Amino acid sequence: MFNFKKKNKDEKAADEFFQFHFRSGKDLDNQNQIKKIGLWILLTLLISLIVFGYFTLSKTDRLEKNGEVAKGIVIGLKRNSYKVNDFDGTRVNNYLISFEFFVGGEAIRGVEILEKRDYKQYFHHEIKVNDSLRILYDPRNPKNNRILKK
């Protein structure tokens, strides 16, 4: 009864081309708005990453240039040694060292994680609680500190 003509490949391609390029203005506005939002999000993330990197590097740089040395005391020591998970052979093998030192009569506490492979760069022997160590700190912000290597 009804005799519909089938479209060939060229006609289908032409229909798709016209539908894609001659969409309604509302569809194009929505698409452009989504692109703008995505671009703003990407730009915000990039700027945040740059600012975070700058402050991290300047904190380390300021400690290296203007740092002062103080004598500290080990107040806590924990050794971690475990397998991360059963599927991966990666192991955690480090020391968690809590220490305290004094700046201008104020007690400053700090914590540092040292890998077992780096331990001999910091200490000649196995340390214990109440052992002394040398701390490098920023005089403007003593909470920015780290344990000095031997």
Side-chain angles (χ1 to χ4, degrees), residues 64-127:
E64 293 297 325
K65 287 182 181 177
N66 303 328
E68 292 185 11
V69 178
K71 183 180 177 184
I73 298 172
V74 177
I75 59 173
L77 180 64
K78 181 178 180 184
R79 177 154 185 230
N80 296 313
S81 181
Y82 57 89
K83 192 186 290 188
V84 175
N85 62 43
D86 292 334
F87 301 111
D88 186 12
T90 306
R91 296 191 61 85
V92 170
N93 205 352
N94 61 25
Y95 293 89
L96 181 66
I97 303 170
S98 302
F99 55 89
E100 182 177 64
F101 64 101
F102 291 89
V103 175
E106 181 183 355
I108 307 292
R109 291 185 175 206
V111 176
E112 188 155 344
I113 298 173
L114 295 179
E115 295 296 323
K116 183 181 178 190
R117 66 178 175 263
D118 299 332
Y119 188 81
K120 290 187 178 184
Q121 295 175 8
Y122 289 86
F123 307 107
H124 294 289
H125 61 284
E126 189 171 329
I127 62 169

